[in-house]
Amino acid sequence: MSFEVYKFGGASVSTADGVRNLISILNKSTSKDIIIVVSAMGKITNALERVVASYFESKELCVEAIQPVIEYHFSLAEDLFENYATPVFKKLQRLFEELNGFLNRNKSPDYDFVYDQVVSYGELLSTTVVNAYLSENGFASVWHDVREYIKTDATYREGKVNWELTMQNLSTGLPKTGIHLMQGFIGSEANGFTTTLGREGSDYTAAIIAYCLNAKAVTIWKDVPGVLSADPRYFDHAVLLRFISYQEAIELAFYGASVIHPKTLQPLQRKEIPLFVKSFNDPDALGTQVSLGQAIEPEVPCYILKTNQVLLELASLDFSFMAEENIGEIFKLLGIYKMKVDLIQNSAISFSVCVDNKFKNLDVLVAKLRADFKVTVHQNVNLYTLRHATAESIEILELNKEILLKQVAQNTVQLVTL
């Protein structure tokens, strides 16, 4: 018997009704051996990020920032559990005491280290509430601290998985049957400190567990019908993609499609473990299947938008060519300052790169680059990617936009616009 892995996103369990709906999904499941991976509830990761930011400003601001997180979880627990003597309330209290204890005793000035120790409590809190509700409703689920299983290096906020050790931990330490509940997004490094796997990394957690345990399938339960051809918040012609190959899904995720985390697909592809993306609100609907087979069905243009990007345009100070050593130095600096590169384009005398400044290192990067290059910076630009492009879809995408950069490769078109 092998496990199925169910991953529930933060929007799915953001309310008491959402947690109750999780129970109804489990009741409909034909599998009795399930590993459940749960994200932080609602917008709690964002709220804990504000706690981290305020921690580096003042103790008073930090105390103020953490209060909404406390109130949210106790309010949700009160909606789910009628008896205040239910152990979940004491467990929540202990977690908040742990969090406050860390904030009071920590001496490290490393922002990324503090970030991981604090933000990880979102998943610890959510799984504590969900597991208690499962137990109260007849499910003999077992809560696990995923940090005991998933081991990474000490790259805080972008932990790199130690696959050999993680596989050993999961294959030898986890019972082979039953319902097991784990946190998404987090792991731990060799010294036992918490690491995170990158923002929105709970999908990746599900894939790691599935790969290590040779799971039958992974299902990601979302507040959308499945993988769509476009984000309906920005485009009015989105359609459901019923089938996608692993390779196509990897490409879509790489370019910024937000339904599946970019790192999720490759472990599943390696062992041909099918991935289903289904609606949490309509679990009987078909959703999307990612597996071997047809690249995409239906074959329609797919639109992806990444906002708040930065376009850097570089040229040599002495009008010489942009040779390999110049480009090598640029990429070295992009790596040092943790810039996510989304698009590059170069000519004999210029080099353009569109990046995601998620670690807020743009100013220091530009200062370094200006020592050797002429640099033009365009902030808050939009990056559009069009897969399976047609002449009509390109025309629609370009309509009424100021285009700073355009790149065409096979059936993919990318535009950087103001």
Side-chain angles (χ1 to χ4, degrees):
M1 185 69 70
S2 59
F3 284 107
E4 288 193 37
V5 180
Y6 283 2
K7 183 265 177 176
F8 292 92
S12 301
V13 292
S14 61
T15 65
D17 284 343
V19 177
R20 294 185 187 104
N21 194 38
L22 187 154
I23 293 281
S24 69
I25 289 174
L26 291 180
N27 279 327
K28 291 181 178 181
S29 174
T30 57
S31 177
K32 302 304 177 187
D33 301 310
I34 303 172
I35 295 174
I36 303 171
V37 176
V38 180
S39 302
M41 292 174 160
K43 300 296 183 182
I44 288 300
T45 299
N46 293 338
L48 288 169
E49 287 177 335
R50 290 191 287 273
V51 172
V52 176
S54 64
Y55 171 81
F56 284 95
E57 294 184 41
S58 73
K59 183 176 181 180
E60 291 75 17
L61 285 174
C62 186
V63 171
E64 183 179 327
I66 204 170
Q67 196 58 38
V69 181
I70 296 172
E71 292 172 0
Y72 175 93
H73 285 90
F74 276 100
S75 175
L76 192 146
E78 288 167 4
D79 285 345
L80 288 172
F81 305 97
E82 295 180 1
N83 186 356
Y84 283 91
T86 303
V88 67
F89 291 97
K90 288 185 178 179
K91 291 178 180 178
L92 290 175
Q93 186 61 41
R94 279 198 297 270
L95 286 170
F96 283 116
E97 288 170 357
E98 283 180 18
L99 175 55
N100 281 309
F102 168 78
L103 293 169
N104 288 326
R105 69 175 180 272
N106 173 64
K107 303 298 182 186
S108 173
D110 184 339
Y111 191 98
D112 291 348
F113 169 79
V114 174
Y115 179 100
D116 279 6
Q117 310 320 301
V118 172
V119 172
S120 56
Y121 274 86
E123 278 69 21
L124 296 170
L125 290 161
S126 66
T127 51
T128 296
V129 172
V130 171
N131 191 63
Y133 194 70
L134 287 174
S135 298
E136 189 163 278
N137 285 272
F139 289 89
S141 58
V142 181
W143 186 94
H144 296 268
D145 187 336
V146 76
R147 295 172 295 183
E148 296 178 2
Y149 299 95
I150 296 181
K151 297 298 179 180
T152 73
D153 66 2
T155 307
Y156 298 106
R157 297 183 71 178
E158 289 285 349
K160 295 178 177 59
V161 176
N162 181 329
W163 286 94
E164 183 177 352
L165 185 54
T166 298
M167 182 176 290
Q168 178 183 330
N169 292 340
L170 283 165
S171 60
T172 61
L174 196 70
K176 306 302 181 188
T177 59
I179 297 177
H180 302 275
L181 190 69
M182 294 188 182
Q183 307 75 33
F185 181 52
I186 65 177
S188 68
E189 41 95 296
N191 293 314
F193 290 110
T194 303
T195 55
T196 61
L197 304 176
R199 199 65 158 81
E200 308 293 340
S202 293
D203 291 358
Y204 187 34
T205 301
I208 293 167
I209 293 169
Y211 177 87
C212 292
L213 296 178
N214 297 310
K216 288 192 295 186
V218 174
T219 302
I220 298 176
W221 297 96
K222 308 281 287 188
D223 57 347
V224 292
V227 179
L228 303 176
S229 64
D231 188 330
R233 294 175 298 175
Y234 306 116
F235 303 94
D236 58 7
H237 42 67
V239 299
L240 176 68
L241 304 177
R242 279 287 298 116
F243 297 96
I244 312 177
S245 69
Y246 292 114
Q247 187 60 42
E248 181 65 30
I250 289 169
E251 294 288 349
L252 290 171
F254 173 80
Y255 285 119
S258 59
V259 174
I260 305 173
H261 188 274
K263 295 179 181 177
T264 302
L265 282 305
Q266 290 192 21
L268 302 180
Q269 181 184 32
R270 184 74 61 86
K271 291 191 175 180
E272 298 183 11
I273 299 169
L275 170 66
F276 298 91
V277 182
K278 303 194 69 173
S279 170
F280 182 77
N281 298 311
D282 188 8
D284 294 326
L286 295 174
T288 300
Q289 179 176 332
V290 183
S291 58
L292 288 176
Q294 183 172 339
I296 185 170
E297 183 187 320
E299 187 169 336
V300 295
C302 296
Y303 298 79
I304 301 164
L305 171 62
K306 297 184 76 171
T307 60
N308 300 317
Q309 305 298 291
V310 180
L311 178 64
L312 301 176
E313 296 175 332
L314 293 87
S316 60
L317 293 173
D318 59 1
F319 303 104
S320 61
F321 291 134
M322 292 293 286
E324 287 80 3
E325 59 267 25
N326 302 122
I327 297 173
E329 180 61 26
I330 294 167
F331 272 101
K332 179 180 177 182
L333 291 172
L334 290 170
I336 289 172
Y337 295 106
K338 298 182 179 179
M339 292 291 172
K340 169 68 170 63
V341 176
D342 293 316
L343 174 66
I344 60 172
Q345 190 174 97
N346 68 286
S347 68
I349 59 173
S350 68
F351 182 89
S352 299
V353 57
C354 186
V355 299
D356 188 343
N357 181 34
K358 67 178 181 177
F359 290 100
K360 311 303 180 187
N361 291 326
L362 179 64
D363 290 343
V364 63
L365 169 65
V366 170
K368 288 283 187 181
L369 288 170
R370 281 184 170 146
D372 298 302
F373 304 97
K374 177 185 176 182
V375 183
T376 303
V377 181
H378 302 276
Q379 297 195 57
N380 300 316
V381 300
N382 296 318
L383 173 62
Y384 290 89
T385 301
L386 178 57
R387 292 276 295 169
H388 306 287
T390 62
E392 181 183 5
S393 62
I394 295 171
E395 183 179 347
I396 292 171
L397 188 61
E398 292 182 344
L399 187 65
N400 298 324
K401 292 182 177 66
E402 182 178 347
I403 300 172
L404 300 175
L405 190 68
K406 178 177 179 178
Q407 186 157 286
V408 180
Q410 294 180 338
N411 66 349
T412 301
V413 176
Q414 293 188 279
L415 305 177
V416 179
T417 72
L418 287 175

